[in-house]
Amino acid sequence: MKQIAAREKTIKMTNPTISVVIACFNARATLATALDSLLAQSYIDVEIVVVDGASRDGTVELIQSYNDRIAAWISEPDAGIYDAWNKGLRLAKGEWIGFLGADDVYLPDALHIYANHIAAHPELDYVSGQVELFDELGKTRVIGEPWKWARFRRFMCVAHVGSLHARKLFENHGNYDTAYQVCGDYELLLRAGAGLRAGFVDATLARMKTGGISGT
């Protein structure tokens, strides 16, 4: 990505490179907000990867309008969210990888906060924070807690939206299982078991709209 390459001299070598994958389908109404939340981040060693599922509502034209600010994008049919994320993993170049929904956003400085935590804890495989959920009526609530195997083995207690995964996590445990329609993100982290080296940032770092297939 030219923007990243041009600024690398101003970044300390200890700072992690971050790729953020946005999977979308017919998301013309919301995708720009998600992209703008990334482009507004104070942390600059970031690349954006967009995987579109062959949208027909103008999403592709919107992506093209961001062409000079997106590292890579594709638009083609996929077999669901985890297939799309796996495509994003193949395109991503960062040491750390996050997944953001087309109607979700990172809050200001979120990636800088994550990067500082990662730089201080280079042993980590995964790091999460808190996420504010909101619905169409404007009601909100915050989810996300520190990863603990005794709880995590029973339910997804961490907030996956906006969280970051070390590339070595996928190298050691594989990519997402496309047999799942939902919970594939949880299943991948379960593969690491009690040995998952997970960090937690006690701050609200992303906003997520409720609903979708995982909510129904």
Side-chain angles (χ1 to χ4, degrees), residues 35-56:
L35 289 170
D36 289 344
S37 79
L38 273 168
L39 294 169
Q41 291 294 306
S42 58
Y43 193 71
I44 60 176
D45 201 3
V46 181
E47 68 166 13
I48 303 171
V49 175
V50 180
V51 181
D52 176 66
S55 294
R56 298 179 297 276

Side-chain angles (χ1 to χ4, degrees), residues 106-184:
Y106 281 111
L107 296 179
D109 299 322
L111 294 182
H112 213 138
I113 293 168
Y114 272 137
N116 286 341
H117 190 84
I118 290 166
H121 304 279
E123 76 283 358
L124 294 179
D125 300 315
Y126 174 81
V127 58
S128 65
Q130 294 177 321
V131 172
E132 182 185 63
L133 302 181
F134 66 98
D135 63 22
E136 294 181 352
L137 299 176
K139 294 181 180 179
T140 65
R141 63 187 177 97
V142 175
I143 64 168
E145 61 183 74
W147 182 93
K148 294 180 180 179
W149 176 240
R151 286 175 64 77
F152 188 78
R153 66 186 297 182
R154 298 174 64 87
F155 71 101
M156 182 71 158
C157 58
V158 299
H160 187 265
V161 173
S163 61
L164 296 180
H165 312 66
R167 181 171 293 277
K168 61 187 175 182
L169 178 67
F170 300 103
E171 292 172 348
N172 292 336
H173 300 287
N175 290 353
Y176 292 102
D177 187 342
T178 58
Y180 289 89
Q181 285 190 307
V182 296
C183 297

Side-chain angles (χ1 to χ4, degrees), residues 57-74:
D57 70 336
T59 297
V60 173
E61 290 75 13
L62 174 65
I63 295 169
Q64 290 172 330
S65 73
Y66 284 82
N67 227 8
D68 61 338
R69 291 164 288 177
I70 293 175
W73 68 273
I74 57 172

